[in-house]
Amino acid sequence: MVVEQPLYRPQSAHTSATFRFRDSVNAKYGLSLSTYYDLYLWSVANIADFWSSVWDECAIIGDKGKHVVDGSVNISQNPPWFTDTRVNWAENMLQCRSNEKVALIQATEPTPLNPTPDVRRCSYARLYDLVSQLVSALLASGLKPGDRVASYSSNCIEAVVLCLATSAIGAIWVSAASDFGPAGVLERFEQVQPAFIFAVDAVVYNAKVHDHIPKLAALLSGLASKSKVSPKVVIMHPIPYPAGNCSTWEPGWVSWDDFIREGEAQKLGRTPSGEILWYRTSFNWPLWILFSSGSTGRPKAIVHRAGGMLLQAKKELVISADLKPEDVFLYYTTTGWMMFNFMIAGLSVGCTLVLYDGSPLKDPQFLWNLTDDLKISIFGTSAKYIDQLSKGYKPREYHNLSSLRQIYSTGSPLSAELFDYVYKHIHPNVLLGSITGGTDICSLFAGMCSALPVYRGEIQCRMLGLAVESYSEEGTLNAPDVPGELVCLKAFPCMPVGFWPLAGFGTDEDVAGARAKYRQAYFAEIEGVWYHGDHIVITGSRAGNGGGLIMLGRSDGVLNPGGVRFGSSELYDVIESAFCSTGKILDCLAVGQAIGESDERVILFVKLPDGKTLTPSLDCAVKDEVRTRRSARHVPAKVIQVKDIPYTLNSKKVEVLVKKIINGAPLSIVNPATLANPECLQIYYDIGIELRKGV
């Protein structure tokens, strides 16, 4: 039997933050836990003791109290956590006050008119001052705890300051990325009725400066007809290019600089010595609202609790990832993706965050030049970015990259071939942390651990404190290596506190409706456990990690020809390694088409390079490769060429919508504001008509 060797081994696992935490647990509770899996099993069997220990290990600032959670309450009841705790998320982000230490670096995509734009830097001392001034300005304008503050912004220093200041007051932060269309943002903001909207005046993408004011004006026009409040509008200019024409602003809008100056004059919300008067809320107080993709309807407004976000992020970054104050942390993300929230938590460690506004692939070398220039040590991105990069760029040939120690990938499954690409063409000795979680929990179910090795195609481990398992369709526990549904068996503190509106923020009818939707979203599929909707395999235990985790795709996109279930990623892995790597196929999408009463056939859509057509020989080659590397049951019934593959705004393939459309659903089910390229769905609608004729 051939024993698979890891692609990466930690040099000193015994000194890792995870094992230091293990040692403190052993000392505190008189235990003799040895491996990561020992620690994991203890953490999910003793959730109150575990999360209390995380609080202590990570030196959370706040009044902890004595209560943690009632472990006898079923997860479906969403029990409250730390009920006598008082804590402020932003206070914990701004423990560092150094003038010398850089907190934020903002890099902007170059344009032909400005090929070397200035890089903006903000020290921890300056960041604290900006947050303090903005807190004062918001309070002077009447903002209260529980009010919503919305951002329609690019990834910039001002967006981070706004998030921190909102939390400092106990208000609720809401964010939409600047690349979202006004209709999609309206669907989000009208649900939460923001008191403020902070928006950028321009953004940079694909080496062009784009005026953002028309999109903001369209959003405000829509809100005016649907909102009970008229939000105050503040305009930010974060890019190092000339400002736009202010004459296009509407009456009442104010600039960021003027608003900040108002705050400095008022000096509200701080002590005479200048310290921010942090509004310490309950652990379960709403911190921010994130939105589901909403591709077939109005996005769900998911409310996350302040203490849960803080405690979970500290556990992930401090204990699991072992981030250090000297780290420089870039996550390529927009402000509409939960990875922006994930990245901001790095401030609590005291490291430097790198914010990037622009395209990551217009000039593929740009982000890797940044990595060398800024000594980036933690590089976060999406699996789609790595896939696109692998088609024609090898960073290791052109860049030093000696500062890199961890690379994170999420958004969709990272294929085994892309693991190979990272270690061969980016860095041979880096922790490749494929991570998975989601907007629903704004954190991770499985992911990175600096104490464990990395195996090809696998997420390293289930995260401490989250009782993640693989369940069968019948709701029973699967054995290792058996595909199933990702479920969580016990409550965890980063569960959403609910959907908006919460009690006290809406009518009884609306609150009851939100509670019903919450239960339907997570607990209706399998009684008594959190059902996440991901199709996974938990591998057999090795190296003390209790088994890695392989993502097989979304459960509602699982393929089931002839009663054999498998994830779409099993096909994607074959196509990417055998055909995308050679440039014969650019992208693909696999869905099931219903045939008869209870069966389906697999349809594989492929996007080819411009000017190329799907020949019979390529069709046969695809099917032969799938048969050889998977099985005869995996072979698609049809391979069909299309001009484009649909993606959400967060770069996820839209399998479920396409499946519904080719099976006869009308295009009216689509919410186009949530897709990056909704126009291409007409192709699938037309193909669906022809496919159903042949069934």
Side-chain angles (χ1 to χ4, degrees), residues 359-673:
S359 168
L361 289 168
K362 177 71 174 178
D363 178 5
Q365 67 179 341
F366 186 79
L367 289 182
W368 301 104
N369 282 335
L370 274 184
T371 300
D372 280 342
D373 294 344
L374 302 178
K375 305 302 181 188
I376 291 170
S377 54
I378 313 294
F379 187 105
T381 185
S382 65
K384 186 173 188 291
Y385 168 80
I386 296 176
D387 178 49
Q388 291 295 313
L389 198 70
S390 72
K391 290 176 169 51
Y393 195 72
K394 300 173 181 178
R396 194 178 171 194
E397 293 185 3
Y398 309 102
H399 308 277
N400 183 276
L401 307 181
S402 60
S403 60
L404 271 181
R405 68 185 190 92
Q406 296 182 11
I407 295 176
Y408 301 154
S409 169
T410 192
S412 56
L414 188 68
S415 69
E417 287 73 21
L418 290 178
F419 274 71
D420 297 337
Y421 166 80
V422 168
Y423 282 101
K424 183 176 181 181
H425 296 300
I426 298 181
H427 200 296
N429 189 32
V430 67
L431 188 159
L432 176 54
S434 181
I435 58 180
T436 186
T439 301
D440 311 86
I441 64 170
C442 196
S443 54
L444 311 179
F445 278 124
M448 68 290 187
C449 178
S450 66
L452 294 175
V454 174
Y455 287 91
R456 186 173 184 265
E458 290 187 19
I459 297 173
Q460 286 178 283
C461 58
R462 291 170 281 182
M463 302 303 277
L464 296 172
L466 282 89
V468 171
E469 295 290 356
S470 167
Y471 263 31
S472 70
E473 287 184 276
E474 293 74 33
T476 58
L477 181 66
N478 281 330
D481 299 316
V482 176
E485 306 299 330
L486 190 159
V487 299
C488 194
L489 308 185
K490 293 189 176 182
F492 49 96
C494 59
M495 288 171 62
V497 69
F499 290 166
W500 192 262
L502 304 178
F505 292 95
T507 66
D508 291 345
E509 181 180 2
D510 288 343
V511 170
R515 286 174 175 165
K517 289 178 182 177
Y518 181 91
R519 179 170 181 79
Q520 181 66 29
Y522 306 119
F523 301 107
E525 193 72 24
I526 302 177
E527 184 65 31
V529 303
W530 173 288
Y531 173 88
H532 198 59
D534 278 334
H535 199 53
I536 65 167
V537 165
I538 297 176
T539 64
S541 180
R542 60 184 172 193
N545 67 349
L549 195 128
I550 299 173
M551 304 300 296
L552 301 177
R554 292 293 294 172
S555 299
D556 43 17
V558 165
L559 302 164
N560 191 23
V564 178
R565 286 166 52 88
F566 57 89
S568 55
S569 67
E570 295 187 55
L571 292 183
Y572 300 155
D573 287 353
V574 174
I575 304 305
E576 287 168 3
S577 63
F579 301 97
C580 293
S581 61
T582 61
K584 294 180 180 179
I585 294 175
L586 298 180
D587 205 353
C588 62
L589 181 79
V591 299
Q593 182 201 3
I595 52 175
E597 291 296 321
S598 58
D599 201 1
E600 69 177 26
R601 62 180 181 178
V602 176
I603 310 297
L604 179 68
F605 297 100
V606 294
K607 178 182 177 181
L608 304 185
D610 289 342
K612 300 295 184 180
T613 58
L614 180 64
T615 61
S617 61
L618 181 56
D619 182 289
C620 289
V622 167
K623 292 177 179 177
D624 287 346
E625 192 71 21
V626 171
R627 181 180 292 105
T628 300
R629 295 186 49 182
R630 292 294 182 255
S631 75
R633 292 293 186 93
H634 286 75
V635 175
K638 287 184 176 293
V639 181
I640 299 175
Q641 182 178 354
V642 290
K643 291 183 178 179
D644 206 1
I645 302 294
Y647 279 88
T648 69
L649 291 171
N650 286 336
S651 299
K652 295 182 180 180
K653 291 183 183 182
V654 185
E655 295 174 340
V656 178
L657 272 181
V658 170
K659 180 176 181 177
K660 290 179 179 179
I661 288 169
I662 70 164
N663 282 294
L667 287 176
S668 59
I669 70 166
V670 179
N671 183 351

Side-chain angles (χ1 to χ4, degrees), residues 73 81 94 157 160 204 207 274 313 319 354 413 427 513 584 587 627 634 662:
V73 176
W81 289 81
L94 292 176
I157 290 172
V160 176
V204 185
I319 296 175
V354 179
H427 200 296
K584 294 180 180 179
D587 205 353
R627 181 180 292 105
H634 286 75
I662 70 164

Side-chain angles (χ1 to χ4, degrees), residues 44-99:
V44 297
N46 304 273
I47 58 174
D49 289 342
F50 168 74
W51 289 106
S52 177
S53 298
V54 170
W55 178 294
D56 297 337
E57 183 77 10
C58 297
I60 302 294
I61 297 174
D63 302 317
K64 180 182 177 183
K66 296 182 178 180
H67 174 267
V68 178
V69 69
D70 184 349
S72 67
V73 176
N74 187 274
I75 185 174
S76 63
Q77 301 304 309
N78 197 4
W81 289 81
F82 292 90
T83 53
D84 46 359
T85 290
R86 307 298 292 180
V87 70
N88 185 278
W89 177 84
E91 183 181 8
N92 281 270
M93 297 300 114
L94 292 176
Q95 298 177 52
C96 180
R97 308 282 179 82
S98 171
N99 268 311

Side-chain angles (χ1 to χ4, degrees), residues 220-256:
L220 292 169
S221 176
L223 276 175
S225 62
K226 297 186 176 184
S227 179
K228 299 174 184 177
V229 297
S230 179
K232 187 177 181 69
V233 177
V234 180
I235 305 297
M236 307 179 290
H237 181 71
I239 59 176
Y241 300 122
N245 186 357
C246 294
S247 64
T248 62
W249 291 16
E250 295 182 5
W253 294 6
V254 298
S255 72
W256 170 271

Side-chain angles (χ1 to χ4, degrees), residues 31 68 113 115 123 169 287 311 332 458 496 503 532 564:
L31 303 173
V68 178
L113 294 178
S123 71
I169 295 170
L287 172 65
L311 199 59
Y332 178 74
E458 290 187 19
H532 198 59
V564 178

